[in-house]
């Protein structure tokens, strides 16, 4: 029994270790561009994404299964950063960043004891990065939305943060919306239903409004 409990405890420690690292990993953008003290961590960012998902899941009456899937996707979307760190667009190309994160994510999966969990998380990771399904596009939008809400919080609650300081973050999200217009076009996305497309468009409009 003692050996069993020891094994279970070790498995739990192995699974949660990357998340403990994310609790201590601060989001690079806030530090480099706003010189924020006690800035948001990657884990904090993930937590607030889940909060937003829960809010919107209630608004759109998502099923429990879909809600769980979205939360799982949010929980792993930055998990590779526990190894590679929070890489900003200015320091590495998107292609190189994706390769580095894919390699890191595979290393994390290899250390997980449960094959079923490894397969499940691997599939969700792949779906998120392919960015073709409703769930993946939803979570990508929430990722940007949380950043805008955090920027708004800093602007209103940190004395040294002005509107001009957070403008670059809003501009980057505006470009995201502009450059991904096709991803919200139902005719170009056979994997997304008309109802899902309407929801994506509404969330995109909220995102665009937050950029103002």
């Amino acid at each position: 029994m003692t050996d069993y409990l020891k094994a279970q405890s070790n498995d739990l420690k192995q699974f949660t270790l990357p998340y403990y690292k994310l609790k201590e990993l601060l989001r690079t953008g806030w530090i480099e561009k706003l010189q924020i003290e006690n800035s948001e961590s990657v884990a904090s960012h993930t937590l607030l994404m889940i909060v937003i998902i829960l809010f919107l899941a209630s608004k759109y009456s998502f099923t429990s299964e879909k809600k769980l899937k979205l939360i799982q996707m949010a929980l792993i979307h930055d998990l590779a950063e526990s190894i590679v760190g929070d890489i900003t667009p200015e320091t590495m190309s998107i292609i190189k960043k994706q390769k580095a994160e894919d390699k890191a994510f595979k290393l994390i999966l290899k250390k997980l004891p449960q094959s079923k969990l490894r397969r499940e998380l691997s599939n969700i990771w792949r779906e998120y990065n392919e960015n073709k399904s409703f769930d993946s596009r939803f979570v990508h939008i929430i990722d940007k939305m949380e950043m805008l809400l955090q920027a708004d919080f800093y602007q209103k609650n940190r004395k040294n943060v002005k509107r001009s300081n957070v403008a670059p973050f809003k501009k980057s999200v505006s470009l995201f919306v502009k450059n991904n217009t096709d991803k919200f076009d139902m005719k170009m996305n056979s994997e997304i239903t008309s109802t899902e497309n309407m929801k994506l468009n509404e969330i995109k409009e909220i995102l665009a409004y937050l950029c103002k």
Side-chain angles (χ1 to χ4, degrees), residues 94-105:
I94 295 176
I95 294 176
K96 286 185 177 180
K97 180 176 182 288
Q98 188 59 61
K99 287 182 178 180
E101 291 185 345
D102 282 339
K103 183 178 180 180
F105 193 78

Side-chain angles (χ1 to χ4, degrees), residues 9 46 87 128:
S9 297
T46 299
I87 302 170
Y128 174 76

Side-chain angles (χ1 to χ4, degrees), residues 62-113:
F62 288 161
T63 64
S64 296
E65 183 179 2
K66 177 169 285 294
K67 190 189 303 183
L68 176 60
K69 171 80 172 296
L70 293 171
I71 290 173
Q72 288 175 315
M73 195 172 284
L75 280 169
I76 69 167
H77 87 288
D78 278 341
L79 194 57
E81 292 184 11
S82 64
I83 293 178
V84 301
D86 184 22
I87 302 170
T88 59
E90 296 84 1
T91 58
M92 187 180 293
S93 69
I94 295 176
I95 294 176
K96 286 185 177 180
K97 180 176 182 288
Q98 188 59 61
K99 287 182 178 180
E101 291 185 345
D102 282 339
K103 183 178 180 180
F105 193 78
K106 288 177 181 178
L107 288 175
I108 293 171
L109 288 184
K110 283 183 180 180
K111 295 180 180 180
L112 298 182

Side-chain angles (χ1 to χ4, degrees), residues 117-150:
L117 183 60
R118 288 198 299 270
R119 289 194 300 271
E120 186 176 4
L121 296 184
S122 178
N123 290 336
I124 294 174
W125 173 260
R126 187 182 307 109
E127 180 180 346
Y128 174 76
N129 286 296
E130 288 177 350
N131 200 17
K132 294 179 180 179
S133 67
F134 169 83
D135 295 344
S136 62
R137 290 179 182 177
F138 181 94
V139 174
H140 272 90
I141 295 173
I142 302 308
D143 186 24
K144 302 298 183 183
M145 185 176 288
E146 195 285 322
M147 182 179 74
L148 291 178
L149 292 172
Q150 182 68 63

